[in-house]
Amino acid sequence: MKKLLVLTVILLGVATRLMAQTPPKGHPNPSGAGWKPLFATDLSDASYPKGIWTYEEGVLTASADKAIWTAQPYGDFVLDLFFKTADGTNSGVVVHCSDTTNWIPNSVEIQIADDYAKQWSEAPKNWQCGAFFGHQAPTKSNVKRPGEWNRYTVTCQGKMIYIVLNNELVNTIDLTKFTSAKTNPDGSEVPAWLNKPAADLPLRGYIGLQGKHAGAPIYFRNMKIKEL
């Protein structure tokens, strides 16, 4: 019986890993087993500058350009959340962060942007919503207009990251391909401030949300995570 139990646990673990490595086709059901809120409603389990982030009536937002971070690091996981942009919003979901003080070169940022705004619609495609910021553009712009809620699912499994935006897979990121701090695999230039090759970044780190960047707010709700 004990051997059978051990074998069952091993097989379940293998099945979970295989499922996570299969590109998702849509959003998960975050009400099942293993899911938990990314942050407590009183933000007691979050790291952030006091007075910047507020959680009211289920909506999280910031009054300044300061990120909010999980208190614990994560390895492989699925993160599911809703976000709402305003006119000109430029924000992001940050994963694999090893240094929250100097997070920009020490993490992977999944871009959130108001692609309808002139400054972002005319920006490089790898600066638009759903992009691996500065590195890889989404397959399409699928963000809704400012004031409408969008749904994001970010799946991190080993060196792979899958981005589902509004029920469509818009980016599949293989971090092993990003071996240069100057040039992306498609030949585009890496922004100078991203001065560490993404392929070399640790795969376990803190999860963060970028605040009121570029003068425009961002709103989040229903943020849930499941470790794999």
Side-chain angles (χ1 to χ4, degrees):
M1 177 64 77
K2 185 177 291 185
K3 289 183 178 180
L4 180 59
L5 180 61
V6 171
L7 180 60
T8 301
V9 170
I10 293 173
L11 290 175
L12 284 172
V14 170
T16 299
R17 288 192 292 272
L18 288 174
M19 287 175 65
Q21 290 171 345
T22 302
K25 295 180 180 179
H27 298 295
N29 177 5
S31 62
W35 289 93
K36 67 176 185 178
L38 184 66
F39 298 120
T41 54
D42 62 359
L43 300 180
S44 58
D45 57 354
S47 175
Y48 64 100
K50 300 303 177 185
I52 300 297
W53 285 87
T54 56
Y55 210 161
E56 297 180 356
E57 297 182 355
V59 177
L60 179 69
T61 191
S63 60
D65 189 7
K66 298 292 183 180
I68 186 170
W69 302 98
T70 56
Q72 71 174 79
Y74 289 88
D76 294 343
F77 61 87
V78 181
L79 173 64
D80 190 67
L81 58 80
F82 288 79
F83 70 86
K84 182 172 64 176
T85 65
D87 292 335
T89 289
N90 181 337
S91 184
V93 176
V94 184
V95 301
H96 295 331
C97 181
S98 57
D99 183 349
T100 58
T101 302
N102 183 30
W103 66 268
I104 292 176
N106 291 293
S107 63
V108 171
E109 180 183 356
I110 307 305
Q111 177 75 332
I112 292 175
D114 169 22
D115 289 351
Y116 297 92
K118 179 178 172 60
Q119 66 266 46
W120 308 129
S121 65
E122 296 180 355
K125 295 297 183 183
N126 59 20
W127 288 36
Q128 296 181 350
C129 200
F132 172 16
F133 181 79
H135 292 288
Q136 183 169 291
T139 56
K140 64 182 293 187
S141 177
N142 205 39
V143 67
K144 297 178 183 178
R145 291 187 177 276
E148 299 183 57
W149 285 102
N150 300 267
R151 190 174 179 182
Y152 237 170
T153 301
V154 179
T155 302
C156 292
Q157 177 71 26
K159 292 281 188 176
M160 299 300 298
I161 302 177
Y162 303 103
I163 311 302
V164 174
L165 174 58
N166 295 325
N167 216 36
E168 291 190 52
L169 181 66
V170 297
N171 216 334
T172 298
I173 303 160
D174 183 352
L175 294 174
T176 64
K177 297 180 179 180
F178 296 87
T179 58
S180 171
K182 294 184 177 181
T183 306
N184 290 311
D186 64 1
S188 61
E189 185 178 349
V190 176
W193 56 91
L194 300 176
N195 55 19
K196 293 185 179 181
D200 296 342
L201 297 176
L203 297 179
R204 183 174 180 82
Y206 299 94
I207 299 172
L209 304 174
Q210 192 174 15
K212 186 179 180 180
H213 182 55
I218 179 70
Y219 306 92
F220 298 97
R221 66 175 173 86
N222 293 37
M223 299 157 290
K224 292 190 175 182
I225 189 167
K226 180 179 182 179
E227 294 187 77
L228 299 175

